[in-house]
Amino acid sequence: MSKRILIALTSHAVLGDTGRSTGFYLGEAAIPWEVFTEAGYSVDLVSVAGGNPPRDGEDPTDSLQRRFLTDTHVAAQLANTPTPDAMDTSAYEAVLFAGGHGTMWDFPDNPALARLAREVYERGGVVGAVCHGPAALVGATLSDGSYLVAGKKVAAFTNDEESAVGLSSVVPFLLADRLTAQGATHIPADNFTAQVVVADRLVTGQNPASARGVAEAMVAALAR
């Protein structure tokens, strides 16, 4: 199999009824992209609705973000990402669901994203998710009908962090609670500190500070 990893991005651009914009959190795609490419992997991008996905957390002074956005391959893909149902998962050793608050609206219970996770995981690949990216695991099932997260330890943006950013009543649900309801054991760390949890070939991280650790743990899992 060629060394390729897929990063999935939200297409949701509106933060509830706040009038604020949202999207995928740029650092949660750019940092893993750097880790993956330095480890010798080719990285492709996909978004829920295709096209040019909205982004959040952009810092013009961040050199890594600039390298990501100006990379020829990345820029071409961001201009017109494919949709998940167009992807042949057999081409990928791993899939990472990047976060950003937009994921809370279009990642959960999404059959196309669930297929990416299920097929990669059941073929022996690695599934990763960071911050709100684990929203893609909400409702995702394996071929036997069980939830992918059932019986596994996970990290995700915590209830306390959601409260700290003032969005507990804006998001459609609390991510940690929903994952727990589907059989996961949520392992929180202190607010906004790095937390990465590895459960076999499922790698999850709590917040933006966890993006590098998630990517590094995914690379390590692929090497096993």
Side-chain angles (χ1 to χ4, degrees):
M1 183 187 296
S2 62
K3 293 185 67 173
R4 296 172 69 186
I5 295 176
L6 187 64
I7 298 180
L9 309 172
T10 180
S11 296
H12 190 86
V14 181
L15 191 58
D17 59 2
T18 65
R20 292 160 52 189
S21 62
T22 187
F24 77 89
Y25 202 77
L26 186 53
E28 293 171 21
I31 293 170
W33 167 79
E34 179 185 59
V35 172
F36 296 151
T37 55
E38 287 185 349
Y41 288 89
S42 297
V43 178
D44 292 330
L45 305 174
V46 64
S47 69
V48 173
N52 190 344
R55 55 183 184 250
D56 198 2
E58 187 167 354
D59 179 359
T61 69
D62 188 299
S63 60
L64 171 53
Q65 290 188 11
R66 288 201 305 274
R67 288 198 303 275
F68 176 75
L69 292 172
T70 58
D71 177 84
T72 303
H73 183 64
V74 170
Q77 290 196 88
L78 281 177
N80 190 24
T81 55
T83 56
D85 56 2
M87 307 307 297
D88 176 7
T89 60
S90 67
Y92 298 95
E93 293 189 53
V95 57
L96 170 68
F97 297 100
H101 270 93
T103 64
M104 292 292 287
W105 280 267
D106 64 359
F107 271 21
D109 300 303
N110 184 307
L113 293 182
R115 179 186 70 87
L116 296 183
R118 177 175 60 254
E119 291 182 358
V120 168
Y121 189 81
E122 291 187 336
R123 202 178 57 253
V126 173
V127 173
V130 61
C131 196
H132 288 90
L137 305 176
V138 171
T141 58
L142 300 175
S143 294
D144 64 4
S146 64
Y147 288 119
L148 193 156
V149 298
K152 296 182 178 69
K153 294 179 180 179
V154 300
F157 205 65
T158 69
N159 293 356
D160 283 348
E161 287 172 323
E162 206 69 83
S163 177
V165 297
L167 294 174
S168 296
S169 61
V170 174
V171 292
F173 59 87
L174 294 176
L175 181 54
D177 289 354
R178 186 66 62 86
L179 292 169
T180 299
Q182 295 186 355
T185 300
H186 180 248
I187 310 295
D190 291 342
N191 285 1
F192 310 113
T193 60
Q195 169 78 328
V196 177
V197 174
V198 180
D200 186 23
R201 288 173 291 105
L202 177 64
V203 181
T204 49
Q206 180 170 313
N207 46 38
S210 310
R212 183 170 298 278
V214 166
E216 290 172 346
M218 290 177 68
V219 170
L222 287 167
R224 290 201 292 268

Short mmCIF file of all heavy atoms in Angstrom, two decimals, residues 7-13 22-26 29 45-56 58 68-69 74-82 106-107:
data_model
loop_
_atom_site.label_atom_id
_atom_site.label_comp_id
_atom_site.label_asym_id
_atom_site.label_seq_id
_atom_site.Cartn_x
_atom_site.Cartn_y
_atom_site.Cartn_z
N ILE A 7 -6.88 13.47 5.47
CA ILE A 7 -7.37 14.37 6.51
C ILE A 7 -8.75 14.86 6.11
O ILE A 7 -8.92 15.43 5.02
CB ILE A 7 -6.42 15.56 6.74
CG1 ILE A 7 -5.04 15.08 7.21
CG2 ILE A 7 -7.00 16.53 7.77
CD1 ILE A 7 -4.04 16.21 7.46
N ALA A 8 -9.73 14.64 6.98
CA ALA A 8 -11.12 15.03 6.72
C ALA A 8 -11.44 16.34 7.43
O ALA A 8 -11.12 16.52 8.61
CB ALA A 8 -12.07 13.93 7.16
N LEU A 9 -12.12 17.23 6.71
CA LEU A 9 -12.41 18.57 7.20
C LEU A 9 -13.91 18.85 7.18
O LEU A 9 -14.64 18.34 6.33
CB LEU A 9 -11.71 19.61 6.32
CG LEU A 9 -10.22 19.40 6.06
CD1 LEU A 9 -9.73 20.39 5.01
CD2 LEU A 9 -9.42 19.52 7.35
N THR A 10 -14.35 19.70 8.10
CA THR A 10 -15.74 20.14 8.11
C THR A 10 -16.02 21.12 6.97
O THR A 10 -15.12 21.82 6.50
CB THR A 10 -16.10 20.81 9.45
OG1 THR A 10 -17.47 21.23 9.41
CG2 THR A 10 -15.24 22.03 9.71
N SER A 11 -17.28 21.17 6.56
CA SER A 11 -17.73 22.17 5.58
C SER A 11 -18.69 23.17 6.21
O SER A 11 -19.22 24.04 5.50
CB SER A 11 -18.42 21.47 4.40
OG SER A 11 -17.52 20.65 3.69
N HIS A 12 -18.89 23.06 7.52
CA HIS A 12 -19.89 23.90 8.19
C HIS A 12 -19.26 25.24 8.59
O HIS A 12 -18.25 25.28 9.29
CB HIS A 12 -20.43 23.19 9.42
CG HIS A 12 -21.61 23.87 10.03
ND1 HIS A 12 -22.90 23.64 9.60
CD2 HIS A 12 -21.70 24.79 11.02
CE1 HIS A 12 -23.73 24.38 10.31
NE2 HIS A 12 -23.03 25.09 11.18
N ALA A 13 -19.88 26.33 8.17
CA ALA A 13 -19.25 27.65 8.29
C ALA A 13 -19.88 28.58 9.31
O ALA A 13 -19.35 29.67 9.56
CB ALA A 13 -19.26 28.34 6.94
N THR A 22 -17.22 29.81 11.49
CA THR A 22 -16.42 28.71 12.00
C THR A 22 -15.94 27.90 10.80
O THR A 22 -16.01 28.34 9.66
CB THR A 22 -17.20 27.85 13.00
OG1 THR A 22 -16.33 26.87 13.59
CG2 THR A 22 -18.38 27.14 12.36
N GLY A 23 -15.43 26.72 11.05
CA GLY A 23 -14.90 25.87 9.99
C GLY A 23 -13.93 24.89 10.59
O GLY A 23 -14.00 24.61 11.79
N PHE A 24 -13.01 24.36 9.77
CA PHE A 24 -11.99 23.48 10.35
C PHE A 24 -10.91 24.34 10.98
O PHE A 24 -10.61 25.44 10.50
CB PHE A 24 -11.43 22.51 9.31
CG PHE A 24 -10.45 23.08 8.32
CD1 PHE A 24 -9.08 23.10 8.59
CD2 PHE A 24 -10.87 23.59 7.10
CE1 PHE A 24 -8.16 23.61 7.68
CE2 PHE A 24 -9.96 24.10 6.17
CZ PHE A 24 -8.61 24.12 6.47
N TYR A 25 -10.35 23.86 12.08
CA TYR A 25 -9.33 24.63 12.80
C TYR A 25 -8.00 24.41 12.10
O TYR A 25 -7.50 23.28 12.05
CB TYR A 25 -9.28 24.20 14.26
CG TYR A 25 -8.68 25.25 15.16
CD1 TYR A 25 -9.44 26.36 15.54
CD2 TYR A 25 -7.38 25.15 15.61
CE1 TYR A 25 -8.89 27.35 16.35
CE2 TYR A 25 -6.83 26.13 16.42
CZ TYR A 25 -7.60 27.23 16.79
OH TYR A 25 -7.05 28.20 17.59
N LEU A 26 -7.47 25.46 11.53
CA LEU A 26 -6.35 25.34 10.61
C LEU A 26 -5.16 24.58 11.19
O LEU A 26 -4.58 23.72 10.53
CB LEU A 26 -5.93 26.73 10.14
CG LEU A 26 -4.87 26.80 9.05
CD1 LEU A 26 -5.24 25.96 7.85
CD2 LEU A 26 -4.63 28.25 8.64
N ALA A 29 -5.13 20.78 11.07
CA ALA A 29 -4.81 20.14 9.80
C ALA A 29 -3.34 20.38 9.44
O ALA A 29 -2.64 19.47 8.99
CB ALA A 29 -5.70 20.66 8.69
N LEU A 45 -6.67 15.68 1.22
CA LEU A 45 -7.72 16.34 1.98
C LEU A 45 -9.08 16.01 1.40
O LEU A 45 -9.24 15.83 0.20
CB LEU A 45 -7.52 17.86 1.97
CG LEU A 45 -6.16 18.37 2.44
CD1 LEU A 45 -6.08 19.88 2.23
CD2 LEU A 45 -5.92 18.03 3.90
N VAL A 46 -10.07 15.94 2.28
CA VAL A 46 -11.46 15.70 1.88
C VAL A 46 -12.32 16.56 2.79
O VAL A 46 -11.94 16.84 3.93
CB VAL A 46 -11.81 14.20 2.01
CG1 VAL A 46 -11.73 13.74 3.45
CG2 VAL A 46 -13.17 13.88 1.42
N SER A 47 -13.47 17.01 2.31
CA SER A 47 -14.38 17.76 3.18
C SER A 47 -15.80 17.27 2.96
O SER A 47 -16.13 16.69 1.93
CB SER A 47 -14.30 19.27 2.91
OG SER A 47 -14.84 19.60 1.65
N VAL A 48 -16.63 17.51 3.95
CA VAL A 48 -17.98 16.94 3.96
C VAL A 48 -18.76 17.30 2.70
O VAL A 48 -19.39 16.45 2.06
CB VAL A 48 -18.74 17.40 5.22
CG1 VAL A 48 -20.20 16.94 5.14
CG2 VAL A 48 -18.08 16.83 6.47
N ALA A 49 -18.74 18.57 2.31
CA ALA A 49 -19.52 19.02 1.16
C ALA A 49 -18.68 19.23 -0.09
O ALA A 49 -19.20 19.58 -1.14
CB ALA A 49 -20.26 20.32 1.50
N GLY A 50 -17.37 19.01 0.02
CA GLY A 50 -16.49 19.25 -1.11
C GLY A 50 -16.24 20.74 -1.33
O GLY A 50 -16.72 21.60 -0.57
N GLY A 51 -15.48 21.04 -2.35
CA GLY A 51 -15.17 22.44 -2.64
C GLY A 51 -14.14 23.00 -1.69
O GLY A 51 -13.30 22.28 -1.14
N ASN A 52 -14.22 24.31 -1.45
CA ASN A 52 -13.27 25.02 -0.60
C ASN A 52 -13.83 25.10 0.81
O ASN A 52 -14.74 25.89 1.08
CB ASN A 52 -13.03 26.43 -1.17
CG ASN A 52 -11.88 27.13 -0.49
OD1 ASN A 52 -11.44 26.73 0.58
ND2 ASN A 52 -11.39 28.19 -1.10
N PRO A 53 -13.31 24.30 1.75
CA PRO A 53 -13.90 24.27 3.09
C PRO A 53 -13.57 25.52 3.90
O PRO A 53 -12.48 26.09 3.77
CB PRO A 53 -13.27 23.03 3.72
CG PRO A 53 -11.96 22.88 3.02
CD PRO A 53 -12.20 23.36 1.62
N PRO A 54 -14.50 25.98 4.73
CA PRO A 54 -14.24 27.15 5.58
C PRO A 54 -13.21 26.81 6.65
O PRO A 54 -13.14 25.66 7.11
CB PRO A 54 -15.60 27.44 6.20
CG PRO A 54 -16.27 26.10 6.26
CD PRO A 54 -15.82 25.39 5.02
N ARG A 55 -12.43 27.79 7.04
CA ARG A 55 -11.42 27.52 8.06
C ARG A 55 -11.49 28.56 9.18
O ARG A 55 -11.95 29.68 9.00
CB ARG A 55 -10.03 27.46 7.45
CG ARG A 55 -9.58 28.66 6.65
CD ARG A 55 -8.21 28.39 6.05
NE ARG A 55 -7.65 29.52 5.35
CZ ARG A 55 -7.49 29.58 4.04
NH1 ARG A 55 -7.88 28.58 3.28
NH2 ARG A 55 -6.94 30.65 3.48
N ASP A 56 -10.98 28.14 10.32
CA ASP A 56 -11.00 28.95 11.54
C ASP A 56 -9.60 28.87 12.16
O ASP A 56 -8.81 27.97 11.84
CB ASP A 56 -12.06 28.39 12.49
CG ASP A 56 -12.46 29.39 13.57
OD1 ASP A 56 -11.95 30.52 13.57
OD2 ASP A 56 -13.28 29.02 14.42
N GLU A 58 -7.04 30.86 11.87
CA GLU A 58 -5.92 31.19 11.00
C GLU A 58 -5.07 32.29 11.64
O GLU A 58 -5.58 33.29 12.11
CB GLU A 58 -6.42 31.65 9.63
CG GLU A 58 -5.32 31.86 8.62
CD GLU A 58 -5.84 32.01 7.20
OE1 GLU A 58 -7.07 31.82 6.98
OE2 GLU A 58 -5.02 32.29 6.31
N PHE A 68 1.65 25.29 4.97
CA PHE A 68 0.53 24.41 4.64
C PHE A 68 -0.32 25.02 3.54
O PHE A 68 -0.62 24.38 2.53
CB PHE A 68 -0.29 24.17 5.91
CG PHE A 68 -1.54 23.36 5.71
CD1 PHE A 68 -1.49 21.98 5.50
CD2 PHE A 68 -2.80 23.96 5.76
CE1 PHE A 68 -2.64 21.23 5.34
CE2 PHE A 68 -3.96 23.23 5.60
CZ PHE A 68 -3.88 21.85 5.38
N LEU A 69 -0.71 26.27 3.72
CA LEU A 69 -1.63 26.91 2.78
C LEU A 69 -1.00 27.20 1.42
O LEU A 69 -1.72 27.29 0.42
CB LEU A 69 -2.17 28.21 3.39
CG LEU A 69 -3.10 28.05 4.59
CD1 LEU A 69 -3.41 29.41 5.21
CD2 LEU A 69 -4.39 27.32 4.21
N VAL A 74 -1.45 21.00 -1.32
CA VAL A 74 -2.49 21.40 -0.37
C VAL A 74 -3.38 22.48 -0.96
O VAL A 74 -4.61 22.40 -0.89
CB VAL A 74 -1.86 21.89 0.95
CG1 VAL A 74 -2.92 22.51 1.85
CG2 VAL A 74 -1.18 20.73 1.68
N ALA A 75 -2.77 23.50 -1.54
CA ALA A 75 -3.55 24.62 -2.08
C ALA A 75 -4.51 24.15 -3.17
O ALA A 75 -5.67 24.58 -3.23
CB ALA A 75 -2.61 25.69 -2.62
N ALA A 76 -4.03 23.25 -4.02
CA ALA A 76 -4.89 22.74 -5.09
C ALA A 76 -6.06 21.96 -4.53
O ALA A 76 -7.19 22.06 -5.02
CB ALA A 76 -4.07 21.87 -6.04
N GLN A 77 -5.80 21.19 -3.48
CA GLN A 77 -6.88 20.41 -2.89
C GLN A 77 -7.86 21.28 -2.12
O GLN A 77 -9.08 21.07 -2.20
CB GLN A 77 -6.30 19.32 -1.98
CG GLN A 77 -5.59 18.23 -2.74
CD GLN A 77 -5.39 17.02 -1.87
OE1 GLN A 77 -6.23 16.13 -1.77
NE2 GLN A 77 -4.26 16.99 -1.20
N LEU A 78 -7.35 22.25 -1.36
CA LEU A 78 -8.25 23.13 -0.61
C LEU A 78 -9.16 23.92 -1.53
O LEU A 78 -10.27 24.29 -1.15
CB LEU A 78 -7.44 24.08 0.28
CG LEU A 78 -6.90 23.51 1.58
CD1 LEU A 78 -6.07 24.56 2.31
CD2 LEU A 78 -8.03 23.02 2.49
N ALA A 79 -8.71 24.18 -2.72
CA ALA A 79 -9.52 24.94 -3.67
C ALA A 79 -10.73 24.14 -4.13
O ALA A 79 -11.75 24.71 -4.51
CB ALA A 79 -8.68 25.34 -4.87
N ASN A 80 -10.62 22.80 -4.07
CA ASN A 80 -11.73 21.98 -4.56
C ASN A 80 -11.62 20.57 -3.98
O ASN A 80 -11.34 19.61 -4.69
CB ASN A 80 -11.73 21.93 -6.08
CG ASN A 80 -12.99 21.29 -6.64
OD1 ASN A 80 -14.04 21.28 -5.98
ND2 ASN A 80 -12.88 20.73 -7.83
N THR A 81 -11.86 20.46 -2.66
CA THR A 81 -11.75 19.14 -2.03
C THR A 81 -12.84 18.21 -2.54
O THR A 81 -13.96 18.63 -2.83
CB THR A 81 -11.87 19.25 -0.50
OG1 THR A 81 -13.09 19.93 -0.18
CG2 THR A 81 -10.70 19.99 0.11
N PRO A 82 -12.54 16.91 -2.62
CA PRO A 82 -13.57 15.93 -2.95
C PRO A 82 -14.45 15.67 -1.73
O PRO A 82 -14.12 16.08 -0.61
CB PRO A 82 -12.77 14.68 -3.32
CG PRO A 82 -11.51 14.80 -2.52
CD PRO A 82 -11.22 16.28 -2.44
N ASP A 106 -21.70 18.94 11.10
CA ASP A 106 -21.77 18.06 9.92
C ASP A 106 -20.97 16.76 10.02
O ASP A 106 -21.06 15.92 9.12
CB ASP A 106 -21.39 18.82 8.64
CG ASP A 106 -19.95 19.31 8.62
OD1 ASP A 106 -19.22 19.09 9.60
OD2 ASP A 106 -19.56 19.93 7.60
N PHE A 107 -20.22 16.55 11.10
CA PHE A 107 -19.51 15.28 11.27
C PHE A 107 -20.38 14.17 11.90
O PHE A 107 -20.29 13.02 11.48
CB PHE A 107 -18.26 15.48 12.14
CG PHE A 107 -17.01 15.83 11.38
CD1 PHE A 107 -17.06 16.37 10.10
CD2 PHE A 107 -15.77 15.65 11.96
CE1 PHE A 107 -15.90 16.71 9.41
CE2 PHE A 107 -14.60 15.98 11.29
CZ PHE A 107 -14.65 16.50 10.01
#
